[in-house]
Amino acid sequence: QVLGYTPDFVSAAMAPYIKDIHRKGVRVISNAGGINPLACAAALQEVAKKADVDLKIAVVAGDDLMSEKENLKGAGITDLESGKQFPESIHSMNVYLGARPISRALDLGADIVVTGRCVDSGIVLGPLIHSFGWNRDEFDLLAAGSLAGHLIECGAQCTGGIFTDWHTVPDWHNIGFPIVECSSEGDFILSKPPDTGGLISFGTVAEQLVYELGNPQRYLLPDVTCDFSEVSITEIPG
């Protein structure tokens, strides 16, 4: 059976904790919907029903562009980097969604938001726009929120998972996932849960900052083009 979404998001990340998530009012945003976000949401709905909890689940769709294939081909679209012509054979074609549909779903009262293809940092920027009411033209704030998302988007990478000095990272077997606490002004504190392994330092965070960036002065995202060249990182003693 081809599911098209990430099943362990439903079975491992959500199902065991669904009652706590509901009781504590935790709101969850995930791009685990993959190429089938509606099926992912249906599976989550089933989990909620079995646990007898009422959760509003929103789905962000619109990333699938296969219906536009002929239009795009006819428009003479070429590869951004190589200049190659539109390929003859295509099996899937998805556009990166941004943060706005996520913030909109939260504004409308969603407890869980499941997206299809979505830029990873948008998973964090969406709730920040919802919480702080950042406008479309407040580019510095949108860039700051995108940076927060970019630093934690790969899980334990920023807590030592890809650190060059890997031998200085303690307790790999219990490496902690990152937590980011953001202010309405755009600055944020990055930490990890107490009593977990891994390492948060200037180096671990800086290496994740430049991960998959391309030009750090022109990081292209759906919501904002970021200039990260003057980002400052300060270590706060634990």
Side-chain angles (χ1 to χ4, degrees):
Q1 186 186 14
V2 179
L3 297 174
Y5 64 89
T6 311
D8 53 351
F9 167 67
V10 177
S11 62
M14 294 295 287
Y17 313 107
I18 199 81
K19 288 192 173 181
D20 287 337
I21 287 167
H22 178 257
R23 183 171 53 84
K24 295 182 178 182
V26 175
R27 302 173 88 177
V28 178
I29 299 106
S30 176
N31 57 359
I35 58 170
N36 201 355
L38 287 167
C40 184
L44 284 170
Q45 199 72 66
E46 198 59 36
V47 166
K49 189 178 170 185
K50 278 184 183 169
D52 197 27
V53 296
D54 181 25
L55 290 167
K56 292 188 180 70
I57 302 172
V59 175
V60 177
D63 57 301
D64 185 352
L65 293 186
M66 280 301 277
S67 64
E68 295 293 316
K69 183 172 78 167
E70 293 309 316
N71 290 338
L72 291 169
K73 200 171 182 178
I77 298 287
T78 56
D79 187 283
L80 181 67
E81 293 178 352
S82 70
K84 285 182 181 175
Q85 295 300 307
F86 199 90
E88 283 303 315
S89 175
I90 288 184
H91 299 289
S92 67
M93 186 165 51
N94 298 73
V95 66
Y96 275 113
L97 299 171
R100 289 283 161 188
I102 295 170
S103 64
R104 177 72 174 144
L106 294 170
D107 291 346
L108 292 170
D111 300 303
I112 300 171
V113 183
V114 176
T115 79
R117 193 61 162 154
C118 178
V119 66
D120 293 343
S121 56
I123 304 294
V124 170
L125 182 58
L128 293 176
I129 291 171
H130 163 72
S131 297
F132 299 136
W134 291 345
N135 294 318
R136 290 176 187 272
D137 60 353
E138 292 185 285
F139 301 120
D140 283 351
L141 293 173
L142 297 177
S146 298
L147 176 58
H150 174 70
L151 288 177
I152 69 169
E153 70 190 17
C154 297
Q157 283 192 189
C158 74
T159 54
I162 57 167
F163 193 33
T164 299
D165 299 328
W166 56 269
H167 51 88
T168 65
V169 180
D171 301 328
W172 275 77
H173 68 285
N174 188 37
I175 199 165
F177 279 79
I179 298 165
V180 69
E181 298 168 82
C182 305
S183 85
S184 60
E185 303 299 307
D187 54 320
F188 53 88
I189 296 172
L190 197 152
S191 61
K192 63 184 181 66
D195 304 320
T196 58
L199 174 68
I200 293 182
S201 68
F202 182 95
T204 65
V205 173
E207 284 192 11
Q208 176 60 24
L209 191 157
V210 296
Y211 174 77
E212 289 187 343
L213 266 196
N215 182 348
Q217 289 186 294
R218 190 174 165 76
Y219 183 42
L220 303 175
L221 294 170
D223 301 287
V224 63
T225 297
C226 305
D227 178 357
F228 289 154
S229 61
E230 294 185 33
V231 169
S232 63
I233 304 171
T234 307
E235 284 193 31
I236 302 170

